Amino acid sequence: MSNDGLFATALIKVERLKVVDSTNEELKRRIAVINLERPIVIAAEEQTAGRGRRGRTWLNSNGAVLMSIAVPLDGIMPECFPLVNHAAAVAVSRVLRELGADTRIKWPNDILIGEAKVCGILSDLVFDRKNFPCAIIGIGINANADSMPDGLMYPAVSLKLVLGHEVDVNYLIETIGNRVFSCVQMFKEGNARELLNDYAVECSTIGREITVVPCTGDEWSGFAVEIADDGRLMVRDDQGVMHMIDAADVSVRRDNSK
Ligand code: ATP
Ligand code: BTN
């Protein structure tokens, strides 16, 4: 993927909301009753029911980015939908790096600084009124919080805590809206492998010993080898058998002891 595409700003208009249950849910409701022909971006100051993956909760932190981007998925095979998430992760990680944050992507959908989560991405596949597929890409970034919410399962951090100064949330929302859209467009135009190569460069899961935690069944350990063309993680177990890991089915923990 060339950088030119990333910087080609489509100048998407962002609609601001004060409080909403979830920006992803809000876009789902809207898309069900329209024909989505161009992207929509909404951002909220607060969510009352922010969602993470697999029914988990996304908690508000002070001065956060809480936004969702709806993109029509014309011309994309449904099995390629997970790659939308990867496109968004590359775009967001790059924007945060430009601010000076040393971000890495934790497969499939987290942006970390060191071992702490600064951003989560949740992509939903939905259908508009004409039954055309659309992606809703939800992005939550801990931006200007001085402390992280209580009750998180894993370490979290804000940009302010890392950079030592406040960040411009409006700039982040506008820039990320446009960059995510550009990245998804490039992927739609057939640059999936290039996108995945970019993703792999930024992904700290690859080349590490990891623990795979399935939704059901026992956890196991292996070595994260690479990202497959469909976005799944290729993991070699201790017996040398390669497994294709689907993001919907597992959590991945990095094994820092090896
Ligand atoms: P994995 O992606 O490997 O399953 P995960 O913990 O990142 O692990 P998600 O499915 O992405 O799991 O679920 C959302 C996670 O984000 C939960 O662990 C939740 O505690 C955490 N979380 C919720 N709000 C915040 C926040 N503001 N900052 C950082 N993390 C948060
Ligand atoms: C995750 O880490 O599991 C994904 C978290 C995604 C959070 C964002 S905040 C904006 C959008 N609205 C939601 O309800 N979730 C996403």
Side-chain angles (χ1 to χ4, degrees):
M1 181 186 305
S2 82
N3 277 341
D4 299 350
L6 284 177
F7 291 103
T9 45
L11 296 178
I12 297 171
K13 198 167 163 292
V14 181
E15 182 184 335
R16 315 289 173 136
L17 308 171
K18 216 153 179 65
V19 187
V20 69
D21 52 353
S22 149
T23 51
N24 274 37
E25 294 304 312
E26 174 66 17
L27 281 186
K28 267 190 202 172
R29 289 188 288 268
R30 293 186 188 194
I31 286 171
V33 294
I34 61 166
N35 303 333
L36 187 71
E37 276 159 6
R38 58 187 66 84
I40 305 178
V41 185
I42 63 171
E45 286 176 25
E46 194 186 329
Q47 293 184 130
T48 54
R51 290 199 297 117
R53 293 198 311 140
R54 287 182 286 155
R56 292 182 180 140
T57 304
W58 184 259
L59 299 172
N60 297 324
S61 61
N62 286 337
V65 170
L66 302 167
M67 65 187 292
S68 296
I69 304 157
V71 191
L73 285 184
D74 44 297
I76 292 198
M77 305 293 280
E79 59 270 25
C80 292
F81 164 72
L83 297 181
V84 166
N85 204 64
H86 294 62
V90 171
V92 174
S93 180
R94 286 183 172 176
V95 172
L96 301 189
R97 273 175 176 276
E98 285 165 23
L99 292 183
D102 191 9
T103 54
R104 307 289 285 173
I105 301 169
K106 173 178 168 279
W107 182 90
N109 67 329
D110 294 346
I111 313 267
L112 307 186
I113 300 176
E115 295 296 321
K117 183 159 167 173
V118 70
C119 166
I121 300 173
L122 176 71
S123 302
D124 290 314
L125 176 62
V126 298
F127 296 88
D128 73 3
R129 192 170 58 140
K130 277 197 175 158
N131 222 20
F132 287 146
C134 310
I136 297 176
I137 304 158
I139 299 163
I141 303 174
N142 298 318
N144 285 322
D146 291 313
S147 61
M148 292 299 104
D150 291 334
L152 296 180
M153 287 159 53
Y154 301 103
V157 76
S158 71
L159 291 170
K160 182 178 176 189
L161 287 171
V162 169
L163 299 174
H165 59 78
E166 294 220 338
V167 293
D168 183 342
V169 167
N170 289 328
Y171 166 84
L172 274 178
I173 292 168
E174 300 279 343
T175 310
I176 287 172
N178 283 300
R179 295 278 188 90
V180 167
F181 175 62
S182 300
C183 256
V184 173
Q185 279 304 111
M186 292 185 72
F187 151 59
K188 280 169 68 174
E189 284 157 17
N191 295 316
R193 193 60 251 178
E194 243 178 302
L195 162 77
L196 286 168
N197 291 343
D198 288 351
Y199 181 95
V201 168
E202 308 231 357
C203 178
S204 60
T205 311
I206 297 171
R208 298 271 297 253
E209 294 290 339
I210 59 165
T211 302
V212 177
V213 187
C215 294
T216 54
D218 296 335
E219 58 183 58
W220 52 277
S221 54
F223 183 78
V225 179
E226 63 172 305
I227 307 284
D229 285 350
D230 59 5
R232 286 188 290 175
L233 186 64
M234 297 171 70
V235 183
R236 193 172 51 235
D237 70 18
D238 295 343
Q239 283 72 49
V241 178
M242 195 69 89
H243 300 256
M244 305 290 278
I245 305 293
D246 191 311
D249 301 333
V250 297
S251 280
V252 160
R253 301 274 150 244
R254 298 199 305 203
D255 188 343
N256 292 319
S257 64
K258 293 186 189 166

